[in-house]
Amino acid sequence: MKVVIVGGVAGGATAAARIRRLDETAQIVVFERSGYISYANCGLPYYIGGVITDPEELTLQTPESFWQRFRVDMRVHHEVTAIHPELKTVTVRNLDSEEEFDEYFDKLLLSPGAKPTQPPVPGVECGRLFSLRTVEDTFRIREFVTRERPRSAILAGGGFIGLELAENLRDLGLEVTIVQRPLHLLSQLDPEMAAFLHAEARAKGVRLMLGHSVEGFAPADGGVQVLLKGEQPLQADMVVLAIGVTPDTALARTAGLELGIKGSIVVNDRMETSLPDIYAVGDAVQVRNAVSGQPAHIALAGPANKQGRIAADNICGGDSRFLGSQGSCVLKFFGLTAAATGLTEIAAQKAGIPCDKVYLAPANHAGYYPGGRTMTMKVLFERDTYQLLGAQIVGYGGVDKRIDVLAAAIHAHLTGPELRDLDLAYAPPYSSAKDPVNMAGFMMENLADGRLKQFHWDEADCLPRDGSVTLLDTRTAGEYVRGHIDGFINIPLDELREHLAELPQGKPVYVTCQTGLRSYVACRILAQHGYDCYNLSGGYRLYAAVKQHYSPAPTSDPCGRER
């Protein structure tokens, strides 16, 4: 059996190694357009910033090492220019010699990846405008920074690459501006969770220009102008395009393969394309969202590696299945860690899934152990069934641990209240006896059992201020003075029982504190004295973060929403 693989890196290289482990006699040929067949593409920004100092650390395998261990014929600087399914051949161009030849295959695996999205605007050919996809791109940016010593950079886009580059370029001393059309950074987070990234960016001197449309680029005074719709242009010494990725599927399109979202290659759960004996994996393929069940394009290294292994199994006669992707991801951004898994609230709404959520702000480990820091958690669930749908966490420590637990819980189809039963490791430097994940489960259990009713940050300003409801802030007087939601009166929790007579019966009571814990205790007191009480999930801390870092604050028109 002869297997031809188009593209290395995560999916293609993984598949090649797996095929060899399953079939010692298979002839395996990999064609890679760049000069590197297996590299740490997620580490590229950190080489630019000098965190990774040795360029060889970016290379996981070389053609020579792959041949020595796996007897796989890895050919770099070879571009596949056409697929001929009926002949079972591909046309290949040697980019060093310009020689063209045809290569026969029994099985063909496509792993072309995705390319940086190029906006259809003038000026993208400017010499000081860069994109970041390959090792060669990385060296080009690093060499430019070292040679030209730019003082300023504009990043068009605030996704993973944009944020990681912002950190690394800022650490090199550059003035950094992120400009993008969306109103919040990192689309894997909902707007209120991204507010904490906005705060971190601004605290570290990164200028954010959100909600601005880039209309083109132009050279100017030894730098680059970024032309904005209806506004004065920006100027910097360099610009990096980081507005997202597009599946690199021109080859598949001309071969007649079925394409889906964003032009991605449609595959089944065996990673088979619409044509026989042709498989596809990685950032170029359309997958099934494991939570919503809907088609999705999720460009992440973890799913690409799994898909490469699954395709290899099936090429070798097995029957492995890809169950879909949850989109689990994690990002370091200066001192913060942001992570997500499953659906965002925006995605759940688009999928037509009725959902609710809980917010909590626990410490990453036991409060009495030094060094604890607060993390903000949002856990999303289906409204009637409490089936877990997704989670987002932003904090300083322990974020990756909790998001992985929640990713596993979603994969296992747990409901929110069942999180209370997870037996998680505890020692004071690492966690609390009631882990934050358990705490999220307790909150959802209380909701399901009717012991807790809640409202959210985007509903607080919609509450009437005409006396028909009672608005109560249960923080200390000092906290209240430093900032509070307009219209909320202050009765500290520890004094609440002595002031119950001041709260009129028969009116709903909406209660807040700093994070939602003290106000929950207040609601339990009030409920047992006959009050209809609602707790602000996430508390004033979340509300204030959104108000401070958005203008105007994002909203989904929550006023009048049914609870």
Side-chain angles (χ1 to χ4, degrees):
M1 176 178 66
K2 182 175 181 179
V3 182
V4 170
I5 299 175
V6 180
V9 197
T14 294
R18 177 69 170 173
I19 291 169
R20 175 58 72 227
R21 292 195 296 271
L22 296 176
D23 187 344
E24 183 65 18
T25 65
Q27 182 182 356
I28 308 168
V29 183
V30 179
F31 295 113
E32 168 58 45
R33 181 170 45 196
S34 76
Y36 300 85
I37 54 94
S38 182
Y39 56 87
N41 49 1
C42 294
L44 301 183
Y46 299 99
Y47 177 73
I48 293 170
V51 178
I52 298 172
T53 57
D54 185 351
E56 292 188 3
E57 292 292 331
L58 298 173
T59 305
L60 305 178
Q61 291 278 0
T62 65
E64 294 75 21
S65 67
F66 229 99
W67 173 259
Q68 184 174 6
R69 178 159 297 179
F70 296 110
R71 294 300 188 268
V72 170
D73 184 3
M74 289 280 189
R75 304 189 202 177
V76 296
H77 297 141
H78 280 69
E79 180 178 14
V80 174
T81 59
I83 302 170
H84 311 288
E86 68 287 350
L87 300 175
K88 303 193 80 169
T89 63
V90 294
T91 299
V92 186
R93 178 185 294 120
N94 183 324
L95 298 178
D96 293 328
S97 67
E98 295 300 319
E99 172 197 4
E100 280 199 353
F101 58 91
D102 288 339
E103 191 84 16
Y104 173 82
F105 63 84
D106 294 304
K107 305 286 184 181
L108 176 66
L109 174 63
L110 303 179
S111 180
K115 56 188 177 183
T117 301
Q118 293 274 5
V121 297
V124 292
E125 72 284 350
C126 287
R128 289 173 174 254
L129 193 148
F130 303 89
S131 60
L132 182 58
R133 180 196 185 196
T134 65
V135 174
E136 288 91 343
D137 294 335
T138 309
F139 292 160
R140 195 174 301 116
I141 296 173
R142 175 71 177 267
E143 288 166 4
F144 176 85
V145 170
T146 302
R147 182 183 68 251
E148 301 292 334
R149 299 193 179 279
R151 293 184 297 175
S152 59
I154 294 173
L155 308 179
F160 288 111
I161 293 295
L163 294 180
E164 289 168 348
L165 270 176
E167 176 184 351
N168 281 277
L169 292 176
R170 194 77 187 98
D171 286 347
L172 290 175
L174 277 72
E175 296 178 3
V176 176
T177 299
I178 297 176
V179 58
Q180 64 171 30
R181 184 181 303 166
L183 290 172
H184 76 273
L185 300 173
L186 201 63
S187 62
Q188 287 77 9
L189 300 180
D190 283 313
E192 72 276 20
M193 298 297 288
F196 296 98
L197 292 181
H198 297 182
E200 183 75 1
R202 289 169 174 140
K204 294 298 190 290
V206 176
R207 182 187 182 194
L208 299 182
M209 295 195 64
L210 309 177
H212 298 266
S213 296
V214 175
E215 290 201 320
F217 307 92
D221 300 327
V224 184
Q225 277 195 339
V226 179
L227 310 178
L228 302 179
K229 183 177 180 180
E231 299 178 67
Q232 290 297 311
L234 304 175
Q235 184 164 334
D237 295 328
M238 63 181 294
V239 172
V240 181
L241 287 177
I243 59 177
V245 295
T246 301
D248 192 355
T249 54
L251 194 63
R253 185 186 300 277
T254 56
L257 296 178
E258 181 183 354
L259 303 182
I261 297 171
K262 296 174 69 173
S264 57
I265 303 170
V266 173
V267 294
N268 60 18
D269 59 359
R270 288 170 47 86
M271 309 314 299
E272 296 169 322
T273 70
S274 58
L275 295 180
D277 296 323
I278 301 180
Y279 298 75
V281 300
D283 294 353
V285 305
Q286 174 179 290
V287 298
R288 172 183 168 273
N289 185 292
V291 180
S292 70
Q294 297 183 345
H297 177 246
I298 299 175
L300 292 169
N305 276 278
K306 296 181 183 72
Q307 293 160 15
R309 179 183 175 92
I310 288 166
D313 288 352
N314 295 323
I315 285 171
C316 294
D319 187 24
S320 292
R321 307 278 173 162
F322 183 65
L323 300 180
S325 175
Q326 288 177 205
S328 300
C329 57
V330 65
L331 167 78
K332 176 189 178 296
F333 186 54
F334 295 104
L336 277 182
T337 299
T341 187
L343 300 179
T344 62
E345 186 174 2
I346 293 172
Q349 291 168 347
K350 288 182 178 179
I353 301 173
C355 62
D356 202 350
K357 66 268 186 179
V358 294
Y359 299 98
L360 59 160
N364 62 303
H365 59 60
Y368 59 84
Y369 188 86
R373 301 290 297 274
T374 298
M375 65 177 72
T376 304
M377 300 175 60
K378 176 180 183 177
V379 184
L380 195 71
F381 57 91
E382 191 172 23
R383 187 171 297 147
D384 294 328
T385 67
Y386 285 82
Q387 191 72 49
L388 289 170
L389 298 174
Q392 300 159 48
I393 311 176
V394 181
Y396 295 92
V399 170
D400 53 341
K401 169 183 176 178
R402 274 67 187 213
I403 206 69
D404 282 343
V405 172
L406 288 163
I410 293 171
H411 180 80
H413 303 292
L414 296 187
T415 64
E418 288 176 317
L419 295 176
R420 73 195 166 205
D421 300 321
L422 295 180
D423 193 353
L424 303 175
Y426 160 62
Y430 302 107
S431 184
S432 300
K434 292 184 286 189
D435 189 86
V437 174
N438 296 134
M439 293 297 297
F442 297 149
M443 293 173 68
M444 285 179 272
E445 178 188 34
N446 287 334
L447 285 171
D449 291 345
R451 285 189 292 268
L452 170 65
K453 292 189 285 187
Q454 61 181 3
F455 67 111
H456 297 297
W457 64 270
D458 54 352
E459 298 172 294
D461 291 342
C462 303
L463 296 172
R465 267 65 174 179
D466 59 2
S468 60
V469 301
T470 299
L471 307 178
L472 177 63
D473 188 322
T474 59
R475 295 175 299 158
T476 66
E479 290 174 298
Y480 182 81
V481 168
R482 286 191 292 271
H484 57 270
I485 305 174
D486 183 53
F488 279 68
I489 64 171
N490 179 223
I491 302 176
L493 171 63
D494 293 342
E495 303 171 20
L496 179 59
R497 291 180 179 88
E498 287 70 40
H499 291 270
L500 288 176
E502 300 172 19
L503 304 178
Q505 289 277 359
K507 295 181 181 180
V509 184
Y510 292 84
V511 189
T512 184
C513 68
Q514 188 67 9
T515 64
L517 179 57
R518 282 174 287 174
S519 51
Y520 164 65
V521 175
C523 277
R524 292 307 304 145
I525 295 170
L526 292 168
Q528 293 177 77
H529 284 85
Y531 292 89
D532 182 21
C533 192
Y534 297 85
N535 183 42
L536 178 58
S537 184
Y540 179 76
R541 178 177 177 272
L542 178 62
Y543 172 90
V546 177
K547 292 293 183 178
Q548 181 179 355
H549 292 287
Y550 289 98
S551 180
T555 178
S556 55
D557 191 24
C559 301
R561 179 191 299 164
E562 292 184 6
R563 293 184 188 87

